[in-house]
């Protein structure tokens, strides 16, 4: 199923009596819910059979042989139907047929009604107060409590214990026949046990539903974080709306930083060691980007491309770009110490207009294009080891020009001669004036 179809289903959740619009979703929902309730359906059946057997044992003690024989027939049929019902739940196709539950429970309800009629007639003939009949009304409240306190079984058991004490105090007085008390206790106890099972069942299914929803929310949050890590929030919103993502920035500063002698270094160290070194470089650059308000665009091999003045506000883009490049190069000694080898970087910066946007539908990323990006890449190649090369445009826009020497004219491929300002490195990766 496609992402669009799943999203449409999620947005059209059914109401109390409605179905999912998609039949396949409705089928999966029904089978999942019935599978979760299956242990409790069997438990209800076992409880019913135990209660029916208890009545079969008690009846001969109070009923005339004719009434007892009649009840034995009804109870026997009830046990047979309930046993068959429980057995059917072990059939693999049971969860697909709700009609099985409908017929079985309707049959049991009719048999229980017949059994109650015989018992009520017996109690009425004794002029006994029909407390057993009043148990039904009390169990309605108990059912409400079982559902309301679902997921809190201890609280429900405490409520049920107090309710049972109050109920027993009521029936202990004024009941002239022991049979009325016994049947009342049987009725209340059997109903209470069923309500406990209902409380557990509803709690279990509601917790399972919550766990599923919570897992989906967590996964959605992780996916959202991943998407926002690759794309700007504004771009994500436009993509979700089906809009084209294309932006123009008139005053941005593009930074290229790469590792000096990477090809030679790749031949000297193992692949694992090389990846570890690149990871340290890129993680350090990411931290510096966050500190100076610079946006990471991408990494290409050993090169790190970033931009100031794009989607991330940075004030004066030239100052932010220079400060970022200085901070990254300042970490060279630490990176070299951690890698156990000599590490060197260089950076190139150029300012001007750029175009940013998202192209394609797979592996999407927000990228930048234009002459400004190309010239920054060319300047990177002209920078000295652990030094920075900036264009005249960047130097003029920057307020912080410390460490840069007099301009030198350098011919850039595809660009021509340009004035370049260079900050030479000091020991430890710091810059000094080239003049």
């Amino acid at each position: 199923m496609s992402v669009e179809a799943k999203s449409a289903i999620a947005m059209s959740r059914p109401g109390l009596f409605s179905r999912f619009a998609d039949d396949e979703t409705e089928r999966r929902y029904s089978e999942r819910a019935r599978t979760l309730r299956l242990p409790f359906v069997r438990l209800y059946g076992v409880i019913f059979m135990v209660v029916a057997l208890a009545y079969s044992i008690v009846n001969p003690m109070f009923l005339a042989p004719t009434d007892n024989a009649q009840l034995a027939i009804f109870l026997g049929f009830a046990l047979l139907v309930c046993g068959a019902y429980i057995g059917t739940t072990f059939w693999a196709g049971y969860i697909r047929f709700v009609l099985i539950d409908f017929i079985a429970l309707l049959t049991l309800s009719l048999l229980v009604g017949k059994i109650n009629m015989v018992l009520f007639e017996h109690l009425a003939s004794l002029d006994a107060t029909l407390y057993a009949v009043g148990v039904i009304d009390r169990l309605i409240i108990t059912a409400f409590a079982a559902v309301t306190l679902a997921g809190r079984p201890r609280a429900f058991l405490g409520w049920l214990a107090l309710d049972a004490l109050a109920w027993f105090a009521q029936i202990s007085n004024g009941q002239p026949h022991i049979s009325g008390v016994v049947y009342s206790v049987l009725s209340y106890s059997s109903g209470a046990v069923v309500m406990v099972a209902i409380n557990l069942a509803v709690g279990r299914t509601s917790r399972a539903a919550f766990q599923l929803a919570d897992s989906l929310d967590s996964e959605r949050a992780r996916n959202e974080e991943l998407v926002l890590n690759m794309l700007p929030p504004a771009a994500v919103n436009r993509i979700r709306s089906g809009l084209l993502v294309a932006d123009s920035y008139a005053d941005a500063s593009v930074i290229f930083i790469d590792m000096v002698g990477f090809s030679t270094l790749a031949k000297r160290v193992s692949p694992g060691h090389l990846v570890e070194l690149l990871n340290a470089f890129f993680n350090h650059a990411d931290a510096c980007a966050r500190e100076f308000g610079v946006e990471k665009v991408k990494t290409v091999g050993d090169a790190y491309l970033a931009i100031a003045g794009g989607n991330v506000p940075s004030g004066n883009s030239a100052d932010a770009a220079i400060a970022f490049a200085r901070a990254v190069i300042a970490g060279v000694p630490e990176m070299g110490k951690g890698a156990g080898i000599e590490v060197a970087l260089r950076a190139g910066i150029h300012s001007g207009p750029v175009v940013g946007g998202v192209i394609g539908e797979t592996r999407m990323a927000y990228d930048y294009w234009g002459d400004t990006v190309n010239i920054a890449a060319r300047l990177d190649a002209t920078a000295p080891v652990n030094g920075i090369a900036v264009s005249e445009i960047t130097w003029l826009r920057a307020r912080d020009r410390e460490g840069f020497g007099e301009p030198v004219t350098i011919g850039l491929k595809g660009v021509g001669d340009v004035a370049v300002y260079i900050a030479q490195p000091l020991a430890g990766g710091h810059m000094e004036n080239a003049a």
Side-chain angles (χ1 to χ4, degrees), residues 14 17 40 80 143 197 219 240 243-244 312 316 323 326 330 358 374 423:
F17 297 103
F40 299 98
L80 182 63
E219 188 64 28
R240 287 173 176 168
L243 301 175
L244 178 67
V312 178
N316 186 311
R326 283 173 173 166
V358 179
N374 297 331

Side-chain angles (χ1 to χ4, degrees), residues 126-139:
L126 298 175
D127 293 328
T129 53
L130 302 181
Y131 287 110
V133 180
V135 170
I136 304 301
D137 293 332
R138 199 174 200 102
L139 288 179

Side-chain angles (χ1 to χ4, degrees), residues 269-308:
V269 302
S270 66
H273 195 182
L274 188 65
V275 171
E276 183 179 353
L277 176 60
L278 286 174
N279 192 51
F281 166 33
F282 294 151
N283 285 341
H284 172 59
D286 288 343
C288 294
R290 289 191 294 269
E291 180 180 356
F292 293 98
V294 171
E295 177 187 354
K296 174 184 178 180
V297 180
K298 61 184 175 182
T299 60
V300 183
D302 64 318
Y304 189 99
L305 172 60
I307 186 169

Side-chain angles (χ1 to χ4, degrees), residues 227-237 249 295 311 358 365-366 368:
V227 170
L228 293 177
N229 190 42
M230 297 186 297
L231 299 170
V236 173
N237 294 333
Y249 303 91
E295 177 187 354
N311 283 291
V358 179
Y366 195 96
Y368 292 90

Side-chain angles (χ1 to χ4, degrees), residues 304-348:
Y304 189 99
L305 172 60
I307 186 169
N311 283 291
V312 178
S314 57
N316 186 311
S317 67
D319 283 337
I322 293 171
F324 164 72
R326 283 173 173 166
V328 174
I329 294 176
V332 164
E334 191 66 29
M335 282 187 285
K337 186 186 300 182
I341 56 176
E342 185 178 352
V343 179
L345 304 176
R346 62 188 175 195

Side-chain angles (χ1 to χ4, degrees), residues 129 131-132 135 166-175 180-182 184-185:
T129 53
Y131 287 110
V135 170
W167 174 81
F168 188 76
Q170 290 177 353
I171 69 165
S172 60
N173 296 321
Q175 183 63 269
V181 176
V182 171
S184 296
V185 171

